[in-house]
């Protein structure tokens, strides 16, 4: 069984067992191995431990890609996307770029992103979220973001499933600021269309996209330059928005902020979101903000976002970062988000530019000592082991 008398030995045995389960013929065992791998990564595995066990983690990652290409069932492919994404959020940097290349090399990726039936929609959402998460932590931010944005825009144009459309709109919102000045990739007609969608998740995703556009001074400009300017279009940028665009957008935002639907209580979160967007419109009247780009580095008043007892400092008016934090919280889950927020400095501080604060103070929290980090992981791993053992016992009783 190997050495289990230290934290590192327990971790090594766990990843070895996961790799063995991922290579089993029975899909039930493989699914259990994927579940264990995702739980391990959600709890945060320090990059140095991944380096020490590089061979085992490379095997696990390769097996996940094999599930996506040929041998995986529908559930295995969905879980494999999640494992790959959280692994990228852990290692960050050039390794994430390699993972993104491998994702785009998959023959089935286009079909995965644009499902043909409702049963495939959940897997499409997993694929979109995986691409988004991996792209966020690539070193070459602009190039990676443009590559993924192109795929996401095709999904927005083609899909008819609301959960897939909402995921694609959210991905577009997250990646546009990292791609640089891409006014041509700001589909205001699409945003306006989906603000009137039947599904609340689609409306909220479109609203967040609109808020980020307003904040970054991406306004609804004329789509085509005059004929006499076309030969030197690279110098031409019309300054006046189309007169019918902004009022119609403001009117729809005001309706959603007031709650136009019959079941207002069910859409309370949506109303709160659009009230904030309405305030953003009012704070940015037509003709204001002639800057070409929103300056994320300027000094702004700060507020603290709380989650599971952790505090995260974000700029008060920075919708880009608020959307980013919400995505990570939903994707990692509350416990996973808290663990990565506490320990994953390469992700939150170095890659995404988000800082941590303890107890509401203005000082950045000091990094956790190595011994304390081991104690935290050890307690979390023991609890997870108990839960997995209980789960397996229940499954054994079921199959017997």
């Amino acid at each position: 069984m190997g050495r289990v008398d230290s934290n590192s030995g327990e971790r090594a045995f766990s990843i070895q067992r996961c790799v063995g389960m991922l290579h089993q013929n029975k899909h039930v065992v493989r699914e259990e191995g994927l579940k264990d791998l995702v739980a391990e990564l959600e709890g945060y595995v320090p990059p140095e431990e991944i380096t020490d066990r590089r061979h085992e983690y490379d095997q696990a990652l390769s097996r996940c890609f094999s599930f996506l290409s040929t041998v995986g069932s529908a559930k295995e492919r969905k879980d494999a996307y999640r494992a790959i994404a959280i692994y990228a959020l852990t290692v960050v940097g050039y390794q994430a770029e390699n993972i993104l290349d491998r994702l785009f090399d998959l023959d089935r990726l286009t079909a995965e992103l644009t499902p043909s039936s409702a049963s495939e929609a959940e897997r499409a959402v997993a694929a979109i979220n995986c691409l988004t998460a991996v792209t966020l932590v690539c070193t070459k931010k602009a190039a990676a973001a443009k590559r993924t944005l192109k795929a996401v825009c095709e999904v927005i144009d083609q899909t008819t499933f609301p959960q897939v459309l909402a995921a694609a709109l959210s991905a577009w919102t997250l990646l546009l600021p990292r791609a640089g000045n891409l006014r041509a990739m700001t589909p205001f007609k699409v945003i306006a269309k989906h603000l009137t969608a039947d599904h609340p998740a689609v409306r909220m995703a479109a609203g967040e996209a609109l808020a980020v556009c307003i904040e970054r001074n991406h306004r609804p400009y004329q789509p085509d330059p005059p004929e006499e300017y076309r030969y030197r279009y690279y110098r031409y940028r019309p300054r006046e928005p189309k007169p019918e665009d902004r009022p119609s957008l403001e009117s729809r935002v005001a309706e959603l902020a007031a709650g136009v639907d019959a079941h207002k209580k069910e859409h309370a979160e949506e109303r709160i979101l659009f009230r904030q967007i309405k305030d953003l419109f009012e704070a940015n009247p037509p003709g204001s903000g002639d800057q070409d780009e929103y300056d994320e580095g300027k000094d702004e008043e700060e507020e603290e976002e709380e989650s599971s007892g952790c505090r995260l400092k974000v700029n008060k008016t920075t919708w880009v970062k608020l959307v980013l934090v919400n995505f990570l919280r939903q994707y990692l889950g509350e416990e996973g988000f808290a663990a990565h927020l506490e320990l994953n400095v390469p992700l939150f501080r170095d890659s995404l530019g988000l800082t941590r604060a303890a107890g509401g103070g203005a000082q950045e929290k000091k990094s956790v000592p190595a011994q304390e980090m081991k104690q935290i992981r050890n307690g979390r791993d023991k609890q997870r082991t108990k839960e997995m053992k209980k789960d397996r016992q229940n499954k054994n009783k079921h199959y017997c």
Side-chain angles (χ1 to χ4, degrees), residues 299-317:
D299 293 330
E300 294 174 330
E301 183 182 355
E302 293 180 335
E303 69 178 4
E304 291 176 347
E305 173 112 355
E306 296 189 26
S307 174
S308 301
C310 301
R311 290 172 180 260
L312 188 69
K313 293 198 301 183
V314 296
N315 290 331
K316 185 174 182 180
T317 57

Side-chain angles (χ1 to χ4, degrees), residues 226-245:
E227 190 70 34
E228 61 270 21
Y229 285 105
R230 288 185 181 175
Y231 73 95
R232 52 193 178 96
Y233 176 69
Y234 66 94
R235 291 186 180 179
Y236 176 79
R237 181 166 57 207
R239 285 290 180 186
E240 293 300 322
K242 296 178 69 175
E244 69 272 15
D245 280 347

Side-chain angles (χ1 to χ4, degrees), residues 210-231:
L210 178 61
V212 168
C213 290
I214 297 170
E215 181 182 71
R216 293 185 62 83
N217 197 29
H218 285 209
R219 308 296 172 86
Y221 289 97
Q222 299 274 3
D224 297 314
E227 190 70 34
E228 61 270 21
Y229 285 105
R230 288 185 181 175
Y231 73 95

Side-chain angles (χ1 to χ4, degrees), residues 45-224:
V45 182
E48 57 269 20
E49 292 197 18
I50 293 179
T51 302
D52 292 341
R53 298 294 175 182
R54 171 65 63 194
H55 179 67
E56 289 88 346
Y57 277 99
D58 284 348
Q59 281 187 317
L61 188 66
S62 296
R63 193 58 178 164
C64 288
F65 275 102
S66 70
F67 293 147
L68 299 181
S69 58
T70 54
V71 302
S73 64
K75 187 177 188 308
E76 286 171 338
R77 293 207 297 274
K78 186 184 73 171
D79 291 342
Y81 277 122
R82 184 166 175 77
I84 291 170
I86 302 178
Y87 180 85
L89 292 175
T90 302
V91 297
V92 182
Y94 75 93
Q95 294 186 60
E97 291 183 10
N98 294 335
I99 292 173
L100 188 65
D101 290 338
R102 294 176 69 176
L103 285 170
F104 275 105
D105 287 341
L106 293 171
D107 294 333
R108 301 171 64 171
L109 182 63
T110 302
E112 295 273 57
L113 294 176
T114 53
S116 57
S117 64
S119 61
E120 299 174 351
E122 190 175 355
R123 193 168 66 250
V125 172
I128 293 170
N129 288 338
C130 177
L131 275 177
T132 305
V134 175
T135 305
L136 285 172
V137 292
C138 286
T139 303
K140 298 178 181 178
K141 299 178 182 179
K146 290 176 183 177
R147 186 180 188 184
T148 305
L149 273 172
K150 183 178 179 181
V152 167
C153 287
E154 291 178 0
V155 176
I156 294 174
D157 292 338
Q158 297 177 20
T159 190
T160 58
F161 299 101
Q163 62 268 49
V164 178
L165 183 56
L169 285 169
S170 296
W172 182 90
T173 305
L174 285 162
L175 297 178
L176 182 72
R178 305 179 77 80
N181 186 7
L182 290 179
R183 294 178 188 273
M185 295 189 75
T186 307
F188 283 102
K189 289 184 179 179
V190 175
I191 293 174
K193 172 186 174 182
H194 293 307
L195 284 175
T196 61
D198 294 332
H199 201 284
V202 176
R203 295 196 298 266
M204 293 177 69
E208 289 180 341
L210 178 61
V212 168
C213 290
I214 297 170
E215 181 182 71
R216 293 185 62 83
N217 197 29
H218 285 209
R219 308 296 172 86
Y221 289 97
Q222 299 274 3
D224 297 314

